[in-house]
Amino acid sequence: MLTEDATTVWKYLNGIICIYKPAMVSMSSVRKLLCSKLALDLNELKCRKPRNYVSIDGDTRHPLNVNIRSSYADHPLVIGPRYIPEEIKVRPAKFFEKRTSGVCIMGINYGIRRAFYLNTCNPLCTYHITGQFGLATDNLFSDGKIIYKSNFEYIRKPFVDEAVASIQANHQKNLFSSTGFHPQSQTAYELAVSGMVRPVDKNVPVIYSIKCIQLNLPYFILEVVSVNENEDYLLNLVHEVGYRIKNLAITTAVHCIRHSYFSLENAILKKHWSLQNILDNLNHCNDILKLNKEFSIYLQQKQEEEKKFFSNCNEDLDAELENEMDIIQSEKIH
Amino acid sequence: MVPLLNRFIINKNSTNIIYQLYRNVFLSYIRENVTTALTVTTNSEKLLGQQEKDEFDEVNKNVSVLEELPNLEDVSHIGPPIDFKSFNFAPFADNSVVLQKLVDLGVDFYKIEQRKVLPTYLLQLNFEENIQPYISFLHDNGVPSNKLGRFFTKNPFFFQVNLEDLQKTLWEIKDVVGFSKEQCKNLLLNVPYIWTINPDNLKARIDFMLTEMELSLDMIAANPFGMVNRVSRMRERHLFLKSLGKAQYDPTKPNFISIRMITHGNDASFCEFVAKTSIETYNMFLKTL
């Protein structure tokens, strides 16, 4: 690190970072850990010194003494360390539940807004979901209570591929029907040519691609590319795959390997979460976003909208203030 | 000037002294700026009753307003009251000698400010009477001076304890420990940290070693270092060794790996000496969990 001054480092601590969220750790504890780690590292740098305290004391019958010492009221032991974890804002772009692990985008301080817009532009997420045939539990995950068991020796890869392909076809069909155009029309064709059709509703999960990349009985791995999904939906999806080949299936791991423009290579592991690594990652993520023209144009649009909105607010406020000042001045004159 | 006047405690006995003090202050004001001083004096007269005003006039009949009065008494002990409410120790820190000395010892008031009765209790203490004997007691019993601050932040109500009772219980404890010392000696000497671990966590660790790593209870007791490590760290390393085909925990077979080898050292040394791979492959593996 080139500077040892905490305030300059604090100024640069705005943006998005890409971290690796471990499984079986909730998002809130990940956030708390990041905040406390950042605050600890910031406090180790050169912080502001306590202010001076001027005291005038002595016998009032004689000339008084003026003493200057560092104030105890501003001492870090009395009012607390200079940077506290509650002061640092950290929010995820996409919320992951406890069992999901993998690439997770976090906004820090002013970067929260950027993380929010990264989520509103419907980014694609890629998952590797590990499942297990022949079991059914009460919560669809491997840590639940086992309810049923079944034979799975007869399962072959084509069976799984067939079930998976029909799910994907269903989703594609539903996506085009939800746009409202006739699938044989010219506009539907143009839509399909222009690129990926994104869902309008934020609550409808859509799967763009689903493949079985590994079958090692009873375990199998699905690669899912989707939008608007959550953990419960993915667990249900694995259950459905089992149902379609007339068997049972549970999930053993949900692993996100890609989120929008960020992949596992950019993510930093839990043991590497320190101020220096986070700042490096922040710059790296910023560069990646700058290279992507689509997102930078989208971001600019949103920022201009915000500016307009706030400038309108300010104009209204200014007008009100001017009116008030006029009234006060007129009262004074009279 | 006006807010300053309001903050002072005005008793009937001390009115004269305060008046003397204020006169001098007012005079210095008059020298600088006559108009401001005039407004101040008018405000200050409002604060006193008619009777007190008459008394004051009688005393100072012949003295000119512009003349400086000789100070008869030392009034440095008079100041603003500090019995107001605050959410931390900061407003009291510059006035209270006790707080200042405790801060110098290293007591972290930021951590204990949320305990309800504490601030009023601590501010009433006298350093030489209430705190010094406790410090000398701790010093006699072998607490080093740089750990006193940490000790008082953990036990801020320590100054309430009777010292004689404390000495008695200390002797009793030493007698009792005499028996159990030999039994617990090995565990205590090897891993004293075990006695501070949350029992639920300890159970989870032992469960993990018994079920997932398939170790025997005797092996765990012989190598208590496994109990000091986090489950997540143990699991990561165990799964990595398993993926390499090196997870062999039976001492009677070749390529034996002990619990100490798994738990000891940082990731780099673990990769180099135990797993015999590079740290990069280990990090890549961690991203697949």
Side-chain angles (χ1 to χ4, degrees), chain A residues 20 53 58-61 69 71-73 75-81 84 86 101 255 264-265 267 269 271-272, chain B residues 71-76 88-90 93-95 100 103-104 106-110 113 267 283 286-289:
Chain A
Y20 185 86
Y53 180 76
D59 197 340
T60 45
R61 285 169 292 189
R69 56 172 169 79
S71 171
Y72 278 97
H75 198 279
L77 285 178
V78 177
I79 57 159
I84 53 172
E86 290 86 48
S101 65
H255 185 217
L264 278 176
E265 293 160 18
L269 283 166
K271 59 178 177 180
H272 295 143
Chain B
N71 271 332
L72 301 175
E73 276 184 70
D74 181 15
V75 285
S76 59
N88 64 6
F89 281 94
D94 275 322
N95 298 315
Q100 289 172 14
V103 167
D104 290 339
V107 179
D108 205 338
F109 286 100
Y110 170 69
E113 73 194 14
D267 284 348
N283 285 346
L286 286 182
K287 285 183 181 179
T288 62
L289 287 178

Side-chain angles (χ1 to χ4, degrees), chain B residues 150-263:
Chain B
R150 190 182 146 80
F151 182 85
F152 290 135
T153 41
K154 294 263 174 185
N155 319 298
F157 287 106
F158 183 69
F159 308 119
Q160 279 182 335
V161 183
N162 191 359
L163 272 182
E164 289 176 8
D165 293 349
L166 207 72
Q167 191 69 51
K168 270 182 199 171
T169 45
L170 211 76
W171 286 117
E172 281 170 17
I173 287 168
K174 272 179 185 171
D175 288 340
V176 173
V177 172
F179 297 108
S180 56
K181 229 178 189 174
E182 287 162 25
Q183 294 167 356
C184 296
K185 197 180 170 186
N186 274 325
L187 278 180
L188 257 174
L189 281 178
N190 288 332
V191 266
Y193 181 61
I194 284 178
W195 307 107
T196 60
I197 301 173
N198 181 7
D200 292 344
N201 273 343
L202 197 66
K203 209 182 164 191
R205 284 164 200 190
I206 293 168
D207 265 9
F208 171 76
M209 283 191 278
L210 284 174
T211 55
E212 290 195 37
M213 289 173 75
E214 294 170 355
L215 300 172
S216 64
L217 254 178
D218 296 335
M219 272 180 77
I220 297 169
N223 302 299
F225 303 100
M227 288 183 255
V228 186
N229 264 269
R230 279 184 205 156
V231 175
S232 62
R233 198 169 114 121
M234 293 269 282
R235 181 178 282 127
E236 282 165 5
R237 291 185 176 188
H238 164 67
L239 289 176
F240 185 55
L241 286 178
K242 210 176 169 185
S243 73
L244 294 173
K246 289 181 181 174
Q248 206 284 96
Y249 306 122
D250 190 354
T252 56
K253 288 175 187 169
N255 295 329
F256 163 66
I257 286 173
S258 68
I259 303 176
R260 173 84 177 161
M261 280 163 85
I262 296 178
T263 55

Side-chain angles (χ1 to χ4, degrees), chain A residues 155-308:
Chain A
I155 296 172
R156 297 287 174 270
K157 188 126 191 285
F159 299 170
V160 186
D161 287 343
E162 196 182 319
V164 154
S166 74
I167 291 172
Q168 187 185 329
N170 252 337
H171 273 265
Q172 289 291 325
K173 199 177 155 193
N174 283 336
L175 192 65
F176 272 96
S177 65
S178 70
T179 54
F181 302 119
H182 193 272
Q184 299 298 326
S185 64
Q186 178 67 22
T187 42
Y189 171 74
E190 277 164 9
L191 251 179
V193 163
S194 66
M196 224 168 248
V197 185
R198 300 292 168 93
V200 184
D201 192 354
K202 209 72 191 91
N203 299 319
V204 182
V206 176
I207 290 170
Y208 287 97
S209 140
I210 173 167
K211 274 184 262 175
C212 176
I213 53 169
Q214 197 183 320
L215 183 69
N216 180 21
L217 284 173
Y219 298 102
F220 63 100
I221 298 177
L222 296 179
E223 193 181 74
V224 180
V225 181
S226 56
V227 163
N228 291 345
E229 77 296 320
N230 55 16
E231 195 186 271
D232 282 354
Y233 180 77
L234 293 174
L235 298 191
N236 276 309
L237 187 78
V238 171
H239 182 72
E240 199 189 327
V241 170
Y243 179 75
R244 278 182 189 239
I245 49 174
K246 293 167 188 171
N247 206 304
L248 304 167
I250 55 162
T251 316
T252 53
V254 184
H255 185 217
C256 177
I257 58 159
R258 203 175 168 79
H259 179 285
S260 60
Y261 315 112
F262 303 97
S263 63
L264 278 176
E265 293 160 18
N266 309 318
I268 42 175
L269 283 166
K270 188 181 163 190
K271 59 178 177 180
H272 295 143
W273 293 350
S274 65
L275 185 62
Q276 179 64 69
N277 284 336
I278 282 171
L279 278 172
D280 291 346
N281 191 266
L282 204 141
N283 287 331
H284 188 62
C285 289
N286 214 2
D287 293 344
I288 290 173
L289 281 191
K290 269 182 193 170
L291 282 177
N292 261 287
K293 280 182 185 172
E294 276 182 32
F295 181 71
S296 49
I297 291 167
Y298 176 78
L299 198 71
Q300 269 186 4
Q301 275 180 7
K302 288 288 175 186
Q303 280 172 350
E304 277 168 19
E305 278 176 26
E306 261 180 30
K307 264 185 191 174
K308 267 187 187 176

